[in-house]
Structure formats: structure tokens, C-alpha cells
Amino acid sequence: MFKILLSIVFFSTLSLPVSANLSLSKFRLYFDNSNRNDALQLRNKGDRAISYAVELGLVSMTEEGTLHVVEEDPYSAIGLLRYSPKRGTIEPGERQALRFSVRKPAGLKDGEYRAVLKVTSAPLMEQSTKVAMQSKLAYSLPIIIRHGRLSASTKLTEAKLVTVGDTASIEVWQLLEGNRSVFGNFIVEDDNGNEVGVLNSSAVYQPLTRRRVIIPLSQNVSGKITVKFSEVALYGGTEKAQTTVIIN
């Protein structure tokens, strides 16, 4: 089990870098009551063979949005997942499919079960008759399994203008009720409806009831500012929320 502090970055594209030459076809794996099988494609875009290994772990989210490794979780998805292959080598220009299936035991409690998949990769280089691994890089992506009857509602509150580093941003607290997480995108609009800030692929995980979200702005703003959140329907949600703030 990997025990380092883990900060998972969520991308909005469908081809994600793990190392300079390895990409993933998805940034999130999602299973619900009607979907128990999926596959993740690993692609070697380089000119040298790549060795990879995958393993499952657990994380917990803080109110600041930081994810850290934990050893136990009452809603762990690890025992519900079967996947293969767990390691291998991908030749230049080739792909490897990692196949996943969900096995739910009888009497499984309704709820959302989670894990993260850590993919570690490194290019291979020949040294005499041996093969050595170098420059190990890793990427972690969330796995969500929803079972039974689930619901969630979300609200935005306490929006204000802040500066993070040198970037003007909107800080907002996202509230969560229910027995599942929410996952979606934020848009900030000025009083004329122009888009002045975006944050994609943002999540609030149970058992959190609130999370602080920072949305970077693309330009200076003033007047009435509207912050909007919309869940990504592809991952089982249709919740929306919005709030406003006056910036002088």
C-alpha cells in the first residue's frame, strides 16, 4: 500500500500523462447499479518500452480539498474490485487494457464505495543483459462504486474574492448533504454573463459536509459575480448550485 501524502489532480481531458510517454484513456472510473465492468487503456507514446504496475489504495479528503492516504474506510471499494493485469510492459506505440469488474456481496449496504488506482510507470533501458527501471512516475485516479439508493444535495455559500499567490480567485464553500459525493465543474460569471473563471473536475467526498473551493479568475472583476456549479452527468449526478457575491 502506498503511504505517501497523496494529492490527486483531476484533469478534464481523456488522455492523461503518467510519464512523458505513457497516457491514460480515462481520469475516473465509475460504476453504478447498472454498470459493473469497465476498462482503462494505457498507451505508450514513446520510442522505448515502458514497465508499469498498478495497485489500489484509500484516501480521505480534508475541508481544504487535500487527499491523504488512509489505511481503513468503512466504504472502501477495494474488496469489491477485481482487475488485471496488475503489472507488465508496454512496447513503443502499443496499448495495454486494464480490465475492471465489480463483485458485490449479498446484503451490501447502500452507499458510495471509493478507492484510488495508483499507476506507476518507468521507461526500460538495457544494461548489459539486465533491464533496469528509471525515472519512476505515478498517477492516481479515483474509482467510485455506487450501490443501492443514493442521493445528494449541494449548496454554495460564503463566496469572496481572495488572492492565491499572484492570482485573483473566488473562494467559496461547497456544502454537501446525502449519502454520496458530488463531482462537477465551476463557472464564474460577471454581471454581464461573461465567463471570468473556471474550475473543472472538482469533487466533495463523503463524509465531508463542506469543502473550501478556490476558482482562479482569468481577469479582474467587479460588481455582481455569480458562481455556478454543475455535476457531470456522465458520473451519475445532475445537481446544480449557485451563489453571488458583490465585488467593489
Side-chain angles (χ1 to χ4, degrees):
M1 191 71 66
F2 48 103
K3 298 181 180 180
I4 60 172
L5 183 67
L6 180 63
S7 180
I8 296 180
V9 180
F10 298 98
F11 291 86
S12 60
T13 60
L14 290 182
S15 182
L16 306 175
V18 176
S19 70
N21 295 318
L22 184 67
S23 66
L24 276 63
S25 61
K26 298 180 179 181
F27 63 93
R28 191 175 181 87
L29 293 174
Y30 171 74
F31 304 89
D32 57 21
N33 293 321
S34 60
N35 171 32
R36 296 194 180 191
N37 298 281
D38 203 352
L40 175 68
Q41 295 282 340
L42 306 183
R43 180 187 175 194
N44 184 353
K45 301 187 297 181
D47 57 5
R48 182 184 299 174
I50 291 176
S51 177
Y52 74 89
V54 296
E55 62 177 324
L56 294 174
L58 301 172
V59 296
S60 178
M61 177 178 278
T62 70
E63 287 190 348
E64 299 299 313
T66 301
L67 294 167
H68 60 92
V69 174
V70 295
E71 295 295 330
E72 298 180 354
D73 185 338
Y75 285 94
S76 167
I78 292 179
L80 306 178
L81 286 164
R82 302 291 182 270
Y83 66 102
S84 67
K86 294 181 171 61
R87 59 184 51 82
T89 300
I90 308 174
E91 297 298 326
E94 297 297 321
R95 301 171 185 262
Q96 174 64 60
L98 307 183
R99 303 191 183 281
F100 297 80
S101 63
V102 174
R103 298 291 183 267
K104 297 179 180 180
L108 182 66
K109 182 180 178 181
D110 287 2
E112 179 180 270
Y113 297 81
R114 296 184 301 275
V116 292
L117 182 75
K118 181 183 178 184
V119 182
T120 304
S121 73
L124 295 178
M125 66 175 296
E126 294 184 1
Q127 293 183 347
S128 300
T129 58
K130 297 181 179 180
V131 176
M133 292 187 70
Q134 34 170 225
S135 304
K136 271 192 178 181
L137 296 174
Y139 185 84
S140 296
L141 67 147
I143 301 176
I144 305 294
I145 300 174
R146 290 181 181 165
H147 172 71
R149 303 182 67 176
L150 300 171
S151 65
S153 63
T154 187
K155 295 180 180 179
L156 305 180
T157 186
E158 299 180 52
K160 65 181 180 180
L161 180 67
V162 298
T163 300
V164 179
D166 296 327
T167 304
S169 305
I170 294 296
E171 175 188 297
V172 66
W173 283 91
Q174 184 171 17
L175 310 183
L176 175 63
E177 293 183 354
N179 61 349
R180 68 166 177 85
S181 65
V182 292
F183 175 77
N185 304 321
F186 282 90
I187 295 176
V188 180
E189 296 178 349
D190 66 16
D191 202 19
N192 296 316
N194 300 313
E195 184 181 290
V196 295
V198 175
L199 178 66
N200 290 322
S201 304
S202 178
V204 185
Y205 291 126
Q206 290 283 329
L208 283 183
T209 58
R210 68 173 197 162
R211 177 196 162 181
R212 188 169 74 108
V213 178
I214 302 295
I215 309 163
L217 296 175
S218 59
Q219 61 189 69
N220 295 328
V221 296
S222 62
K224 183 179 178 181
I225 303 301
T226 302
V227 184
K228 299 179 178 180
F229 171 82
S230 298
E231 276 197 286
V232 178
L234 179 63
Y235 299 109
T238 58
E239 286 295 306
K240 298 180 183 296
Q242 71 177 54
T243 190
T244 59
V245 58
I246 302 298
I247 298 176
N248 299 317

